[in-house]
Amino acid sequence: MQRIIKNPMLLQDEELLEFIEVFTRNNYEIITLQPTAENVPESLIDSYKDVETHRKILADPAATFSFFSIRYQNAMGEEMLIPAGMFGISESRKVRFPLLINGFWQMILMGNKDSFSHICDQDTDLYYPKFIELKSQFMKNIFSYYQQIDQENYSVMAWPSRGEKSVTRRISELLGYHRAEEGKMELYTSAVAEEAKLNYLSDCVLRWGILIDDRQQTLCNVNYPFEQLQSLIRGMVGYPELVKVM
């Protein structure tokens, strides 16, 4: 039996604790999903659900897109799927772009020490490194998956430039992605490309910015109940006072 859960905070009691253990122990995998109405990643804006958007971004009339999901097996033997994001695909250009991470997962990746201090308001310095460790491991898993799903194609990512200390840059380069500056963005590719390919990829980034009026729309736009969010994050980092989720 298979269950699709859009948001892990919708899990209750034992299932929530089970998910926390799976995530913190890194006992999950990332799989590709063929898009359906049931497995759309949480808070994905409508433009990215339209194949024509991807065809314009990739300058390919045959371009498509796929979703990807966290998958693990629960104690009852059910296959649990938590959709996490999507990417566009151009077979003729041998390129996958853009990579988007959505909903709860995007919120996890955006978390910083200031926002974390509202979740764990005591001993922040003690628990924040664990949060960074989990966030980095999740990011590494996503990027590794994206790089390896089809070795015939370039996996391409574009992220706001955040300097040499960027966790994104560190993990991307650790996994062998190659970086190029693209205005205020950093362009990462899974292989060194010739000049013509790099120019095409730069144009993809430009078209992406034009077609999606504000790329920040890809960020999580869901207002989560604070106590549910607090309980989940505290559980992930081992904070001793879990909030009771009603």
Side-chain angles (χ1 to χ4, degrees), residues 7 38 89 110 141 229:
N7 178 347
E38 289 72 34
I89 309 163
M110 290 179 64
N141 290 343
L229 174 62

Side-chain angles (χ1 to χ4, degrees), residues 64-84:
T64 59
F65 63 90
S66 290
F67 297 151
F68 61 90
S69 174
I70 306 301
R71 179 171 71 180
Y72 66 96
Q73 190 174 66
N74 68 11
M76 303 296 292
E78 296 174 310
E79 181 183 62
M80 304 291 284
L81 298 180
I82 307 180

Side-chain angles (χ1 to χ4, degrees), residues 11-192:
L11 296 169
Q12 294 293 320
D13 303 325
E14 289 82 5
E15 286 191 326
L16 180 61
L17 294 175
E18 183 178 53
F19 166 75
I20 289 172
E21 182 174 7
V22 164
F23 188 77
T24 55
R25 292 180 179 271
N26 199 28
N27 288 337
Y28 59 88
E29 61 179 327
I30 300 170
I31 64 168
T32 304
L33 300 176
Q34 290 302 312
T36 69
E38 289 72 34
N39 61 24
V40 177
E42 182 188 37
S43 79
L44 186 68
I45 64 174
D46 289 341
S47 297
Y48 291 118
K49 303 172 193 175
D50 184 351
V51 70
E52 291 302 322
T53 297
H54 300 278
R55 290 171 177 171
K56 291 174 181 177
I57 290 173
L58 293 164
D60 178 359
T64 59
F65 63 90
S66 290
F67 297 151
F68 61 90
S69 174
I70 306 301
R71 179 171 71 180
Y72 66 96
Q73 190 174 66
N74 68 11
M76 303 296 292
E78 296 174 310
E79 181 183 62
M80 304 291 284
L81 298 180
I82 307 180
M86 68 164 301
F87 53 88
I89 309 163
S90 170
E91 294 292 351
S92 64
R93 296 282 192 167
K94 299 297 181 185
V95 162
R96 293 187 301 271
F97 175 83
L99 172 71
L100 304 175
I101 303 170
N102 277 88
F104 167 82
W105 306 105
Q106 177 70 348
M107 182 188 61
I108 289 289
L109 293 181
M110 290 179 64
N112 56 27
K113 193 169 185 177
D114 181 61
S115 59
F116 183 80
S117 67
H118 295 286
I119 301 292
C120 298
D121 53 0
Q122 297 182 25
D123 297 323
T124 300
D125 289 340
L126 179 62
Y127 293 99
Y128 185 64
K130 179 63 176 178
F131 177 72
I132 292 297
E133 177 186 337
L134 292 174
K135 181 169 79 167
S136 298
Q137 182 62 60
F138 176 65
M139 187 181 294
K140 182 179 178 181
N141 290 343
I142 293 289
F143 292 178
S144 294
Y145 153 81
Y146 189 55
Q147 182 183 42
Q148 296 170 11
I149 50 177
D150 183 358
Q151 296 291 338
E152 294 296 315
N153 289 352
Y154 285 97
S155 55
V156 182
M157 305 183 292
W159 303 91
S161 181
R162 292 193 175 124
E164 295 180 2
K165 294 184 179 181
S166 164
V167 175
T168 303
R169 179 186 295 192
R170 177 173 57 82
I171 292 175
S172 298
E173 293 181 345
L174 177 67
L175 294 172
Y177 281 91
H178 302 274
R179 181 176 58 87
E181 297 293 334
E182 182 59 41
K184 294 182 179 180
M185 305 289 287
E186 293 180 331
L187 186 67
Y188 293 92
T189 68
S190 60
V192 177

